[in-house]
Amino acid sequence: RPPSTQPKIAFIDFDGTLAYKDTVDWFCAHYAPAVFEEVDAAFARGEITLDETLARQVAPITATEDEVVAFLIDTVSVRPGVPELLSFCDVHDIEAVIVSSGFDNLMHPYLQAHGYDLPIYAHSVAFGPEGMRVQLRGRAECDLCGVACKRAEVRDIAAGRSIAYVGDG
């Protein structure tokens, strides 16, 4: 049977999928361990949302963007199999994009340091002497779970194309 000519897109989660570790958890636990643990526990108990978790965990961190990026590049590897996945996508004309609840301004330099240049749909974070501030992407509310999640965003970005999703997000 002839190959499909319908455009395809592969959505790849970043934290704990493309990057071997959850980079947000990793740098928050490194720079503000007590706050990270307290907020993570509140999230696990269902007391706060993911967006609230992100905002609270990064708020006390006064490291610079360059320091956080260097820390991530030095301590987090790309997951085995990623080069093969991206090569497969390239050979089969599948657009590969990152979709994440993490921070694009940390992902771009991380990916570039590892030789990758992929489109990223994610939040961003501002750095300052008083701490970090999350800048949330606008995401549509999902008709399945009722919150602004990746599922609705993936559907919107795909715009009718065949979808593959890689990750746990």
Side-chain angles (χ1 to χ4, degrees), residues 53-166:
T53 301
L54 291 171
R56 290 183 188 184
Q57 285 179 331
V58 302
I61 299 172
T62 58
T64 68
E65 187 167 353
D66 287 343
E67 290 170 333
V68 174
V69 167
F71 172 73
L72 294 176
I73 290 169
D74 290 345
T75 63
V76 180
S77 61
V78 171
R79 184 174 291 280
V82 167
E84 293 83 359
L85 170 63
L86 295 177
S87 178
F88 178 88
C89 288
D90 189 45
V91 166
H92 291 89
D93 200 27
I94 300 168
E95 181 183 6
V97 301
I98 303 294
V99 63
S100 175
S101 294
F103 307 123
D104 61 357
N105 52 319
L106 301 179
M107 290 178 218
H108 278 294
Y110 174 89
L111 289 171
Q112 289 171 346
H114 291 285
Y116 301 110
D117 183 21
L118 299 169
I120 298 173
Y121 296 89
H123 306 307
S124 60
V125 66
F127 289 77
E130 302 84 31
M132 297 168 65
R133 299 292 172 255
V134 174
Q135 299 167 330
L136 297 173
R137 273 182 55 71
R139 288 185 169 154
E141 187 174 291
C142 176
D143 57 357
L144 190 62
C145 70
V147 298
C149 73
K150 287 187 205 175
R151 185 181 301 109
E153 184 174 36
V154 162
R155 207 173 26 242
D156 289 346
I157 295 166
R161 292 182 279 178
S162 294
I163 297 171
Y165 186 87
V166 180

